Amino acid sequence: MIYDEELETMPREALEALQLKRLQNTVERVYNLVPFYKNKFDEISVKPEDIKTLDDLKRLPFTLKEDLRDNYPFGLFTIPLEQVVRLHASSGTTGKPTVVGYSKRDIELWSNLMARSFAAAGVTRGDIIQNAYGYGLFTGGLGAHYGGEKLGATVIPISGGNTQKQIMIMQDFGSTVFTATPSYALYLAESAHDMCVTQDKIKLKVGILGAEPWTEEMREAIEEKLGIDAIDIYGLSEIMGPGVAIECKEAKHGLHIWEDAFIPEIVDPDTGEVLKDGEEGELVITTITKDALPLIRYRTHDITHIIKEPCICGRTHKRIARIKGRSDDMLIIRGVNIFPSQIESLLIDIEGIEPHYQLIVDRVNNLDVLEVKVEVSEKVFSDEIRKLQSLQKKIEKDIKDLYGINVKVTLSEPKSLTRFEGKAKRVIDKRKM
Amino acid sequence: MKRIRQISVFIENRPGRLLEVLNLLGSSSINIKALSLADSSDFGIARLIVKGTDEAVALLKSNNFTLSVTNTIACVVEDKPGSLAQILKLLADNEINIEYMYGFTSPIENKAVMILKVSDIDKAQKLLSDNKIEMLSQEEMREI
């Protein structure tokens, strides 16, 4: 079903005219309201009035996650805090999170785009959405929640985890839609199987899955085990949250990015040069309807390409291919974003721990597990097992408290962690994508 | 004071790692008088009493092992029922905690030797000698 016929099927020419108007408006606003943007534009002598066509977008400087950090927490907001009705946060590259703010209008807009996304996945009024995205600072839970309500569906705000309860609720409430990370969907499918909950005992028809990279093989496995359509959804908190792009049920091939709100570009991750449609590179997004935190040419670090062919569903908005990976070292563990540098800054604060560490990511029973190997120095070494174990527990707890992720800490002998040309290999990702 | 210096070596749980420690000591003709292993699921601690502690420490350190040297007590225990219990009772009654201990039979006739790491070594030592419990010095340990 198409939620907003007029906007979603708008002829390209009209859509691009709308984009230009909104882009000009956004650029003018950030230039006048945010010193960060004014300085950056002035540095390269670009004025808002220089943006005469969509092609002129590439004259503007990129915005990086580090810029959000440098202006932590609210420095890039265009509106005073009393007009901000919601704050979310995601992992920063170091200890401090990346903060995003929403005006009342932003929440309305997000709800609309998310409702549109649900509809594209085949969800309608009358559906029961079991929302297993985490509620909290993470945008997933509330983003999907508001969109589901906007659409007129029934939302169960169950949040993540607690698999047995998820399966019980799924049967008893007759959930028809499940929103989660794909790895959790697969885990839930297998747990249901172990609990002898067969497909005829549940009414699930569609899974809206995202927040981590996945594969066609995973899609097939989830669809077969749960008897559903598994739909890929994309979003990131800096840009808005879930609902930036989604696959349509008709094609299940590429994710429509809502171009009346976002302008996508694909750039060479090394040179920043804009690539042609179809060429693979890093996705860069400019928001053109956001109030509180508009972002100009934000580097997502997600690797994809644009599918330019028109879609069979009738929507005119461009599609991005399934995300292939990252152009930086960010890890996505069970939907939680984590940078090795975050772990490093935490370890440095622990007396006696060498700043030599290694992160080993693996997928065990369809769930991501992160092992943090740290080298034991003589300063922390004790000849009593329990003291070393409490050190392990302390690091595990610190990581859990700060980044909300369960890890297993393993103590290693000094100089045992592999080093390459003086630079340690920090991450070993054993997950097969 | 009769104290025994024990070397504790951090060892990752992987096949052959302890062997590497032993080979290293063996190749330098350092004799191991007593050895105990403590382990958790992913690492272990080898506790060693050797003939030539300083030499062993230098050797292990130069091979990147993490280690510490701990003072322990070596008690000589009669090889008969109840004799160790008597020592433990003494310590318990005086609220001295045993962090760990391990034993080995010694060439001394009808005697075993227990290595003890206690919460208060001075207090424990005084208590044991007041109660006529025989303890070994580092030199005596070397000779047995």
Side-chain angles (χ1 to χ4, degrees), chain A residues 125-300:
Chain A
R125 198 186 163 84
D127 269 317
I128 299 172
I129 301 172
Q130 182 162 335
N131 186 19
Y133 281 122
Y135 282 69
L137 284 178
F138 173 57
T139 49
L142 284 172
H145 185 108
Y146 274 57
E149 286 188 353
K150 182 82 192 172
L151 184 67
T154 308
V155 184
I156 309 169
I158 191 161
S159 199
N162 218 336
T163 308
Q164 296 212 350
K165 189 173 172 187
Q166 297 271 4
I167 293 166
M168 181 190 79
I169 296 268
M170 191 171 280
Q171 294 177 88
D172 295 352
F173 293 10
S175 312
T176 55
V177 181
F178 185 63
T179 54
T181 57
S183 56
Y184 188 65
L186 201 50
Y187 180 76
L188 179 119
E190 284 173 3
S191 303
H193 179 262
D194 292 343
M195 289 164 67
C196 299
V197 176
T198 44
Q199 281 182 23
D200 56 298
K201 291 183 185 153
I202 56 169
K203 291 184 178 156
L204 219 55
K205 59 174 198 184
V206 58
I208 317 277
L209 312 174
E212 67 184 13
W214 52 313
T215 57
E216 276 308 310
E217 290 72 31
M218 268 179 90
R219 187 207 308 264
E220 281 164 26
I222 294 166
E223 293 193 333
E224 194 206 305
K225 285 176 202 285
L226 288 173
I228 60 171
D229 281 312
I231 304 287
D232 193 5
I233 186 167
Y234 176 78
L236 63 166
S237 66
E238 296 90 323
I239 293 303
M240 179 176 81
V244 172
I246 192 161
E247 287 178 331
C248 57
K249 193 186 166 193
E250 294 87 339
K252 270 200 236 171
H253 176 66
L255 298 84
H256 290 280
I257 180 160
W258 303 124
E259 285 188 89
D260 54 320
F262 312 108
I263 302 180
E265 296 170 275
I266 302 293
V267 306
D268 181 317
D270 298 322
T271 64
E273 184 202 343
V274 177
L275 302 175
K276 287 195 206 74
D277 283 357
E279 289 183 333
E280 191 173 280
E282 179 183 333
L283 177 65
V284 169
I285 298 177
T286 300
T287 69
I288 50 174
T289 50
K290 270 178 81 189
D291 237 3
L293 182 61
L295 289 177
I296 303 293
R297 304 193 81 200
Y298 185 72
R299 300 281 298 252
T300 67

Side-chain angles (χ1 to χ4, degrees), chain A residues 378 381-383, chain B residues 4-11 18 21 25 30-38 44-61 65-72 100 102 115 138:
Chain A
E378 276 185 20
F381 177 64
S382 159
D383 67 332
Chain B
I4 306 291
R5 292 166 78 210
Q6 171 202 266
I7 304 171
S8 305
V9 189
F10 181 83
I11 290 183
L18 179 62
V21 174
L25 297 176
I30 296 170
N31 195 12
I32 298 168
K33 305 300 292 188
L35 166 68
S36 151
L37 269 180
I45 299 169
R47 296 167 181 148
L48 303 149
I49 292 168
V50 299
K51 213 167 166 175
T53 308
D54 293 333
E55 198 190 334
V57 167
L59 184 66
L60 290 166
K61 276 196 177 176
F65 283 97
T66 296
L67 56 86
S68 65
V69 177
T70 317
N71 285 322
T72 57
Y100 54 82
Y102 52 99
I115 306 290
Q138 191 90 31

Side-chain angles (χ1 to χ4, degrees), chain A residues 373 376-378 381-389 392 408-416, chain B residues 6 8-12 14 17 38-40 42-43 45 47 61 64 66-68 70 99-100 117:
Chain A
K373 281 188 143 184
V376 176
S377 71
E378 276 185 20
F381 177 64
S382 159
D383 67 332
E384 289 171 51
I385 291 275
R386 68 182 162 88
K387 285 192 182 150
L388 289 176
Q389 282 177 331
Q392 283 179 304
K408 174 179 170 17
V409 169
T410 310
L411 302 179
S412 308
E413 292 169 12
K415 307 198 172 59
S416 63
Chain B
Q6 171 202 266
S8 305
V9 189
F10 181 83
I11 290 183
E12 281 176 21
R14 59 185 160 89
R17 196 54 183 156
D39 63 358
S40 77
D42 51 35
F43 66 88
I45 299 169
R47 296 167 181 148
K61 276 196 177 176
N64 293 326
T66 296
L67 56 86
S68 65
T70 317
E99 278 155 14
Y100 54 82
K117 164 85 189 289

Side-chain angles (χ1 to χ4, degrees), chain A residues 18-29:
Chain A
L18 178 71
Q19 282 185 316
L20 179 61
K21 201 179 96 199
R22 289 180 169 176
L23 173 66
Q24 287 167 329
N25 180 286
T26 299
V27 170
E28 197 179 317
R29 225 156 41 85

